[in-house]
Amino acid sequence: MEDLSFIAIDFETATGRRASICEAGICVVKDGKIVETRSWLVRPENNAYSYWNIRVHGIHPEDTKDAPEFPEVWAEILTYLEETPVLVAHNAAFDISCIRKSLELYGMDTPNICYYCTLRAARHNYDFECNTLAHLCERFDIPEGEHHRAGDDAEMCARLFLREIKDAGWCGLSEMDYCGGKL
């Protein structure tokens, strides 16, 4: 898997709105190896939270009251994407829409970045009754962190993507166009 580099990404949201990111996580993979995992708490607009979202991830308004807003965190994430402009997410439709809606909310430009979806790859390559990140990690003995915490989920996603590539015998990302798109 030499030359396989990407950044797995995950977001947690404070409400049902996709632009309400309250935590962002990335896992950087270079030449097929995980080299760094990071996460940031993010202050959503008005620091508003839904009871239901708090129940999922356990992040509260007091946790993000002094956290940076999305533009500051996105600027840091972009420094990683400058070198490796490829994102991977589990259920990328959600995470990519979080990025798009947040960029729109803050009037920011959309960068030219490719993305791939581990959920779509799993549905394409396996015949499992369940394709959640937790189920797939358990099935493949991928070390699990704390579910619904962005850094841990990003790392689990990265490990899953590496496994999917190996299982399918892929040589590179160009063979995965069926599970990818452009930001």
Side-chain angles (χ1 to χ4, degrees), residues 55-99:
R55 286 200 47 177
V56 170
H57 50 60
I59 302 168
H60 294 82
E62 54 270 18
D63 299 324
T64 57
K65 68 182 169 78
D66 296 321
E69 290 185 333
F70 176 79
E72 188 176 334
V73 172
W74 182 245
E76 284 191 58
I77 293 171
L78 278 177
T79 62
Y80 290 91
L81 290 168
E82 286 171 3
E83 187 176 328
T84 309
V86 178
L87 288 173
V88 173
H90 194 74
N91 189 14
F94 174 79
D95 296 287
I96 296 303
S97 69
C98 287
I99 295 170

Side-chain angles (χ1 to χ4, degrees), residues 89-92 117-124 131-132 136 160 164:
H90 194 74
N91 189 14
C117 180
T118 56
L119 175 59
R120 285 173 58 190
R123 288 176 176 162
H124 184 268
N131 290 298
T132 64
L136 292 168
L160 174 61
E164 290 171 337

